Amino acid sequence: MRLPGVTHTSVPSLAAPGHVDLEQARGLLQGLGALATPPWRLTYRYLWGGSLGSRRDAIVAIVSGPGTPTFLAVQTTYTAPDGSTEQDRLGRLAGDSSRPVGWTTTVGGSSDFATAAVYVPGGAGTGVELREGGRTIAIATADATGLAVFSPGLPQERLRRCEYRVLDAAGKVVHRGGLDLGALYAAVMGGSDW
């Protein structure tokens, strides 16, 4: 079914680094549509899409619409061997979409062993490190799409308190952020009057 005002074509997906799975993108559209009125007036700009490994894919998008705050949405989908899926939808009010975004997920696994991901727009080959307190606990290099994935063996609650740092070629910190992205529902429906 086509809804007026919603981009259903692959054009925004082609602009996004990585690969936005259109079936998952439609799931994001449907999931977010239940949270805003009217859902067919929302617009979506996909920033990144691709694999987190271990049968998990993710989509990062900016969502906006008339009378609705603009927010960042991250959906991680795990596809089990039997074809069933489990999803985690995170979000926050959108800031600068050219800035890195980091999140944690336990879909397809246990909350005792969360995965962290950091998307660095235009950051192919960029160094990214995770820090807990005053020490570095993991280092990765962003792939060709700008994504760095970490599985440091920490519970999600502990990992969400970690900081990520994006480094330039000389190892200087050019961006810092948290992995504390919250539930998408809370981001969209929390505290605002819209």
Side-chain angles (χ1 to χ4, degrees):
M1 176 173 97
R2 301 203 43 91
L3 299 174
V6 176
T7 304
H8 289 279
T9 67
S10 61
V11 174
S13 302
L14 294 174
H19 171 73
V20 174
D21 181 303
L22 292 178
E23 187 65 32
Q24 287 182 17
R26 280 190 281 279
L28 177 63
L29 293 171
Q30 292 168 2
L32 293 176
L35 302 177
T37 305
W40 56 87
R41 296 188 70 193
L42 292 174
T43 58
Y44 302 81
R45 185 165 55 97
Y46 298 104
L47 303 177
W48 181 87
S51 175
L52 299 181
S54 301
R55 306 181 66 89
R56 293 169 301 169
D57 294 307
I59 296 170
V60 179
I62 298 290
V63 183
S64 60
T68 300
T70 299
F71 56 95
L72 174 79
V74 175
Q75 175 178 279
T76 303
T77 303
Y78 168 74
T79 304
D82 67 2
S84 63
T85 60
E86 173 187 352
Q87 292 185 324
D88 189 12
R89 291 188 176 120
L90 304 171
R92 64 170 162 74
L93 288 177
D96 181 355
S97 63
S98 68
R99 308 284 291 179
V101 59
W103 70 95
T104 65
T105 187
T106 58
V107 294
S110 159
S111 61
D112 291 335
F113 301 100
T115 296
V118 177
Y119 167 58
V120 182
T126 301
V128 182
E129 64 180 19
L130 291 186
R131 294 187 53 88
E132 183 178 39
R135 67 185 184 95
T136 300
I137 59 170
I139 300 172
T141 301
D143 68 12
T145 68
L147 186 77
V149 179
F150 302 89
S151 295
L154 298 177
Q156 187 171 33
E157 271 307 307
R158 187 170 158 195
L159 190 57
R160 290 188 76 212
R161 292 190 298 265
C162 290
E163 174 186 64
Y164 68 86
R165 293 183 177 182
V166 178
L167 311 172
D168 66 12
K172 179 183 171 192
V173 176
V174 294
H175 180 80
R176 296 170 191 227
L179 297 170
D180 56 353
L181 200 60
L184 180 58
Y185 183 85
V188 175
M189 299 304 286
S192 70
D193 295 333
W194 63 272

